[in-house]
Amino acid sequence: MASTTSPALSVSKLDFPFLSSRRNITFSKENLHQVKMPRRMSKFSGFESNGFILFSSLSGQIGEGSFPSPEATANNNAPEVQVQSRIWNWRGYSIRYQHAGNSGPALVLIHGFGANSDHWRKNIPVLAKSHRVYSIDLIGYGYSDKPNPRQFGESYFYTFETWGTQLNDFCIDVVKDEAFFICNSIGGLVGLQAAVMEPQLCKGIILLNISLRMLHIKKQPWYGRPLIRSFQNLLRNTDVGKYFFKTVATPESVRNILCQCYHDTSQVTEELVQKILLPGLEPGAVDVFLEFICYSGGPLPEELLPQMKCPVLIGWGEKDPWEPIELGRAYGKFDSVEDFVVLPNVGHCPQVSLSLSLSLSLSHTHTHTATNSLRL
């Protein structure tokens, strides 16, 4: 069960297969952070100015040495990380993903509704300094293929089961390793679903303002459910839905939506608007949009969290107008959730508005501990 912390916390008791661990997490609006280490460690084996620390914890003690300042880490001479955009063939569909970094634990970044891997564009280069980072366009979004859902008959195609399967296959085919999932909004449901389906592939999950699916059919009063289904049929099967999409898929509408959910409107740049809008104008995007907004079934986070076999960390922007933090706090009470972190003055997409520094300590049993300082 999580403790609620703001803005810094320390987590222990993580139970990974073949691993024991300790985590320290720090959230701040500074660009980089000093890593705060417990005084008692052993055989300090190295420090790199880009924020990656490796030490051994067999025995002994380290004094309070001075670590590099945030300014020093920001001005290191490490070569600029190159982010590559690639295509992966998944079951006959072309899937766009981005990749950077050649060493360290694998991280897979999973976007939310209407977004794509570019939503993590500021985070990938920093994370990749000490990790293998992958950011994927879920099928139907970004520059991945957008098959018409009608070709699959009456059943929904764009579901969390589909995306969870895609994510697990991605780990097997592309990452070729188990990975940490870092997820935003509906991407959190994708990460949880994938971890339920193939738990051996997921080492841990970070959920940033996970979608609570307040429009799910189970969360509606019984007398309103027939009306909801009728409205969904109207959107999916008539021109009303396509007209609605046309009103949303404009620069002005996208900008207004982003300003609402980000809280810090200075982050809503023309570049960001175009990164979100342009893939939504690709052929097939309207059908994906309408199918998902009419998808009121499938799993809820409160159904998936009890099934987690890996540790879960939740971060929540306190200014989120869509997923209120008052409702989000309840999800920190699940046994699988190690900590619930309040992120001050940010909205639904903290990875854009907030520099988030995460220290992960992973210790191989009886051998060593590695701590990685990440900025999201």
Side-chain angles (χ1 to χ4, degrees), residues 10-222:
S10 179
V11 185
S12 59
K13 195 195 70 176
L14 304 187
D15 184 17
F16 295 161
F18 314 114
L19 295 173
S20 62
S21 65
R22 176 189 180 97
R23 297 190 175 196
N24 298 315
I25 297 180
T26 306
F27 295 87
S28 168
K29 284 204 170 185
E30 299 299 326
N31 285 335
L32 290 170
H33 292 269
Q34 227 170 303
V35 180
K36 296 182 179 180
M37 313 270 291
R39 293 186 63 185
R40 184 166 186 80
M41 292 176 184
S42 69
K43 297 184 180 178
F44 185 83
S45 60
F47 180 86
E48 296 180 17
S49 60
N50 65 6
F52 180 82
I53 300 172
L54 180 64
F55 59 89
S56 172
S57 59
L58 297 177
S59 62
Q61 180 173 341
I62 296 176
E64 293 184 358
S66 60
F67 295 116
S69 65
E71 293 76 14
T73 59
N75 295 321
N76 68 76
N77 296 320
E80 184 177 351
V81 173
Q82 297 298 315
V83 180
Q84 298 180 331
S85 183
R86 299 175 178 175
I87 297 296
W88 166 53
N89 186 294
W90 180 61
R91 304 189 179 190
Y93 300 112
S94 294
I95 304 298
R96 195 270 293 250
Y97 71 95
Q98 300 183 58
H99 169 61
N102 298 312
S103 62
L107 310 177
V108 181
L109 315 182
I110 306 153
H111 63 79
F113 173 63
N116 58 79
S117 60
D118 287 331
H119 217 185
W120 305 93
R121 68 196 185 284
K122 295 181 180 180
N123 315 127
I124 297 172
V126 181
L127 294 171
K129 290 181 179 180
S130 53
H131 295 79
R132 293 171 291 139
V133 183
Y134 303 84
S135 182
I136 188 172
D137 286 358
L138 297 173
I139 190 168
Y141 291 110
Y143 294 100
S144 290
D145 280 350
K146 302 169 179 62
N148 192 321
R150 296 182 184 276
Q151 74 186 59
F152 302 97
E154 293 298 319
S155 60
Y156 284 88
F157 175 72
Y158 293 102
T159 67
F160 295 110
E161 289 79 7
T162 297
W163 290 319
T165 300
Q166 177 191 0
L167 180 56
N168 285 331
D169 287 350
F170 182 77
C171 289
I172 294 170
D173 295 347
V174 178
V175 181
K176 300 184 186 301
D177 197 0
E178 56 189 358
F180 291 96
F181 299 159
I182 304 178
C183 320
N184 177 226
S185 190
I186 69 160
L189 275 296
V190 176
L192 292 177
Q193 181 67 55
V196 167
M197 296 166 69
E198 300 286 351
Q200 75 279 5
L201 296 176
C202 182
K203 297 177 71 174
I205 300 181
I206 299 173
L207 302 175
L208 301 176
N209 291 68
I210 185 173
S211 171
L212 303 182
R213 306 202 65 200
M214 299 308 296
L215 298 179
H216 194 285
I217 198 69
K218 292 181 181 178
K219 296 188 175 183
Q220 309 310 312
W222 65 268

Side-chain angles (χ1 to χ4, degrees), residues 1-14 21-27 192 204-210 305 310-317 325 328-343 356 358-360:
M1 183 180 298
S3 61
T4 301
T5 316
S6 174
L9 59 140
S10 179
V11 185
S12 59
K13 195 195 70 176
L14 304 187
S21 65
R22 176 189 180 97
R23 297 190 175 196
N24 298 315
I25 297 180
T26 306
F27 295 87
L192 292 177
I205 300 181
I206 299 173
L207 302 175
L208 301 176
N209 291 68
I210 185 173
L305 282 169
C310 65
V312 179
L313 299 174
I314 297 179
W316 212 283
I325 193 169
R329 290 181 191 275
Y331 293 81
K333 297 178 181 179
F334 286 89
D335 289 341
S336 59
V337 178
E338 297 291 337
D339 274 273
F340 183 96
V341 183
V342 178
L343 307 178
L356 178 155
L358 168 63
S359 278
L360 296 176

Side-chain angles (χ1 to χ4, degrees), residues 346-357:
V346 293
H348 187 65
C349 304
Q351 73 271 25
V352 175
S353 302
L354 183 74
S355 292
L356 178 155
S357 181

